[in-house]
Amino acid sequence: MGVLGKPAIYLYWSTRSILQTPIFGKSITRDRFKDILRYLHFCNNDARPARDDNNRDPLFKIRKYYAKVTAAFQRVFTPGEFVSVDEGMIRFFGRLSFKTYNPQKPAKYGMKAYKVCDQSGYTWKFQLYTGKSNYRWRNHRGLVALVMSMLTGLLHQGRKVFMDNFYTSPTLFLALFRCSTNACGTVRANRRNMPNELNKNSAKLRVGESLFMKGKELLGMIWRDKRVFAMLSTMHDNQFADTGKQDRRTGENIRKPKMVIDYNKHMGSVDVSDFLTGRYADLRRSLKWYKKLVFHLSDLAMTNAYIVFKSVTGKSCTHIDFVLDVIEQLLAEGQMQATDRPKPTSRGKKSSPVLRRDNPTRLEYATSDHWPTEIPSTDKKQSPTRLCEVCKPARKETRYFCPPCEVALHPTCFRPYHTLLHYSNSHEE
């Protein structure tokens, strides 16, 4: 549904020629899908804590699922040298106690999540913000504790962390430096323990000029480009470097502080994760916040799986091809499992003695179109043959094919092709 976006759910099962997508009707009926979606649940409501309970878990409705998925993110992938810490928004307009507003994000209203992402866009840590009463991160000391907790498991390994001015402070960077972790980020000039000289002299700078102040472990900088902004780092010096671009008016190479170039290069990993996750996201609307979160975590898991697949295999695979391959394999696995499920029997009139002697499962596949059919004759050949899909390595030809699948098959190859995931030469083995 994220790939084939339609304005209403029932349209996915529509039989109109301009809208028809047969795979939905073949996989599940519309009413069953809507019932599952309606009653989708992840907890036992009988054990739900009271609303006035101060120790009430805000994520009780989804705690087990949320914990397993986010733990899997950290278990299957190890980030590289460069990581970034930033916020992400999950668009949601329903009623929710910890719904937030962030005018700087594309999705301004919704659930806020703190994320630690690898340079590739892999989301290694996902932590949902559930309100001030549970996380006292608004003050300076709380922000330091937040970032340190988000990076638990990545410290003392020589990594380099990038963050924006919401988190950056001298206290945090010194704490990270003591954990053998370097950091770089934009900073608010009036942040606690920042030198006043940087803020005072910012008005005197012209475009392209900068001012550095060096401490034992920290380097502070104010630089004027289109506007003045401050940065803090524990891994840079006051060097400038070419950006690879030229000024349109003068033709000269544009140079910027190395600190700025590295920040622009490595800070966007959270944005890459959000972009990939929203590219083929499930667009179903819901007034239940936990369903919205489940859909988002599902899309995020697909994005992480795509990044892991490329990292492990080294194959060149587009995002859409990976998503479609996963969908096809999930549908194939579901159809294989569906054959073992008991089928409901309708209660009706008792059959006559003559009908009772007949085989009750004789018409079980009456609605199926997957039958051996002779390949139609052409003007050039009266009895054409084609390579069998199952026997391709042996280059054996056949007179029969499966019309719905549009593949040539020997009669003996029909069963392995329609029942096995790896069907090639399966009947010979």
Side-chain angles (χ1 to χ4, degrees):
M1 289 184 171
V3 176
L4 300 175
K6 297 185 181 181
I9 288 181
Y10 75 91
L11 294 178
Y12 289 96
W13 284 265
S14 174
T15 57
R16 296 181 63 175
S17 58
I18 59 175
L19 294 171
Q20 188 175 13
T21 312
I23 189 61
F24 289 93
K26 292 180 179 179
S27 304
I28 188 173
T29 63
R30 182 196 61 189
D31 291 343
R32 176 166 174 77
F33 175 83
K34 294 179 70 174
D35 286 342
I36 292 175
L37 182 62
R38 178 181 180 184
Y39 297 109
L40 190 64
H41 227 63
F42 300 88
C43 69
N44 180 10
N45 276 340
D46 294 336
R48 179 174 53 189
R51 290 185 177 273
D52 56 353
D53 187 358
N54 295 330
N55 298 322
R56 183 174 180 270
D57 183 8
L59 300 181
F60 169 79
K61 298 283 290 185
I62 200 177
R63 173 58 67 183
K64 291 184 178 180
Y65 177 86
Y66 171 84
K68 287 185 177 181
V69 173
T70 54
F73 291 168
Q74 301 179 50
R75 185 174 62 251
V76 302
F77 186 83
T78 302
E81 179 183 3
F82 302 98
V83 297
S84 63
V85 180
D86 204 354
E87 305 169 10
M89 292 290 290
I90 306 170
R91 191 187 304 273
F92 181 71
F93 295 97
R95 296 180 60 183
L96 183 63
S97 60
F98 50 86
K99 184 174 67 175
T100 60
Y101 170 72
N102 189 339
Q104 299 178 352
K105 295 291 183 180
K108 296 178 174 54
Y109 290 92
M111 293 173 277
K112 181 171 69 174
Y114 300 102
K115 301 171 69 173
V116 175
C117 292
D118 177 71
Q119 188 178 3
S120 61
Y122 183 92
T123 301
W124 183 80
K125 185 70 175 287
F126 180 94
Q127 188 162 329
L128 196 70
Y129 171 78
T130 56
K132 301 178 187 177
S133 59
N134 298 90
Y135 305 106
R136 301 184 181 279
W137 292 339
R138 298 289 293 183
N139 55 29
H140 171 72
R141 192 174 297 177
L143 286 173
V144 175
L146 166 63
V147 176
M148 297 299 288
S149 66
M150 292 290 292
L151 294 175
T152 301
L154 300 180
L155 302 175
H156 303 284
Q157 298 176 13
R159 283 188 172 80
K160 298 176 181 179
V161 184
F162 294 82
M163 60 194 74
D164 62 17
N165 59 19
F166 179 74
Y167 308 96
T168 302
S169 69
T171 305
L172 172 61
F173 278 28
L174 289 175
L176 291 173
F177 187 82
R178 288 191 290 268
C179 296
S180 303
T181 303
N182 287 316
C184 174
T186 56
V187 63
R188 299 171 184 175
N190 59 352
R191 184 78 82 177
R192 183 184 299 180
N193 298 327
M194 284 292 293
N196 294 328
E197 289 78 1
L198 287 177
N199 198 18
K200 290 180 180 178
N201 297 323
S202 61
K204 302 178 182 179
L205 298 178
R206 292 179 295 181
V207 176
E209 292 184 342
S210 60
L211 175 65
F212 293 88
M213 292 195 68
K214 183 75 169 68
K216 187 176 181 181
E217 294 92 2
L218 297 172
L219 175 68
M221 179 196 72
I222 282 191
W223 182 60
R224 178 181 285 276
D225 188 23
K226 293 181 180 179
R227 61 183 180 87
V228 177
F229 63 93
M231 294 192 68
L232 197 65
S233 176
T234 59
M235 57 176 137
H236 291 95
D237 51 24
N238 59 353
Q239 291 184 357
F240 277 64
D242 289 334
T243 61
K245 300 179 181 179
Q246 292 184 342
D247 190 291
R248 294 181 179 179
R249 294 174 297 178
T250 64
E252 298 179 354
N253 293 332
I254 299 177
R255 294 174 59 84
K256 293 182 180 181
K258 188 68 165 57
M259 188 188 309
V260 175
I261 296 175
D262 289 345
Y263 177 84
N264 292 336
K265 181 178 179 180
H266 300 294
M267 183 57 199
S269 55
V270 174
D271 295 331
V272 171
S273 174
D274 292 341
F275 170 75
L276 293 176
T277 303
R279 200 171 187 181
Y280 306 111
D282 192 348
L283 302 178
R284 288 196 297 264
R285 296 183 179 181
S286 177
L287 293 177
K288 301 293 184 181
W289 67 269
Y290 61 89
K291 292 184 181 180
K292 194 72 174 179
L293 183 58
V294 167
F295 301 152
H296 179 79
L297 288 176
S298 176
D299 296 328
L300 185 57
M302 180 70 81
T303 299
N304 282 351
Y306 169 62
I307 295 172
V308 171
F309 174 80
K310 291 205 304 180
S311 175
V312 172
T313 63
K315 294 182 179 180
S316 178
C317 176
T318 62
H319 193 192
I320 182 61
D321 287 338
F322 178 82
V323 172
L324 293 176
D325 287 344
V326 172
I327 292 172
E328 288 177 346
Q329 294 185 28
L330 289 175
L331 289 175
E333 182 69 19
Q335 290 174 358
M336 292 174 62
Q337 293 180 3
T339 59
D340 301 331
R341 297 173 185 164
K343 298 180 180 179
T345 57
S346 58
R347 299 179 61 184
K349 297 181 179 180
K350 293 183 179 181
S351 58
S352 64
V354 176
L355 293 178
R356 281 203 303 267
R357 287 197 300 268
D358 196 3
N359 185 359
T361 61
R362 181 174 63 85
L363 301 178
E364 183 177 1
Y365 299 101
T367 59
S368 176
D369 295 327
H370 299 267
W371 300 107
T373 306
E374 287 192 2
I375 300 175
S377 301
T378 62
D379 296 338
K380 295 182 179 180
K381 283 189 177 182
Q382 293 298 322
S383 300
T385 60
R386 288 161 50 186
L387 285 176
C388 176
E389 183 72 16
V390 176
C391 304
K392 269 185 178 179
R395 301 192 63 81
K396 295 181 179 180
E397 295 190 349
T398 177
R399 281 278 294 114
Y400 299 91
F401 81 115
C402 177
C405 299
E406 296 183 352
V407 294
L409 295 167
H410 290 103
T412 56
C413 297
F414 264 74
R415 181 171 181 175
Y417 179 80
H418 290 96
T419 58
L420 300 178
L421 183 61
H422 304 288
Y423 54 81
S424 181
N425 285 336
S426 57
H427 64 296
E428 296 179 0
E429 297 174 359

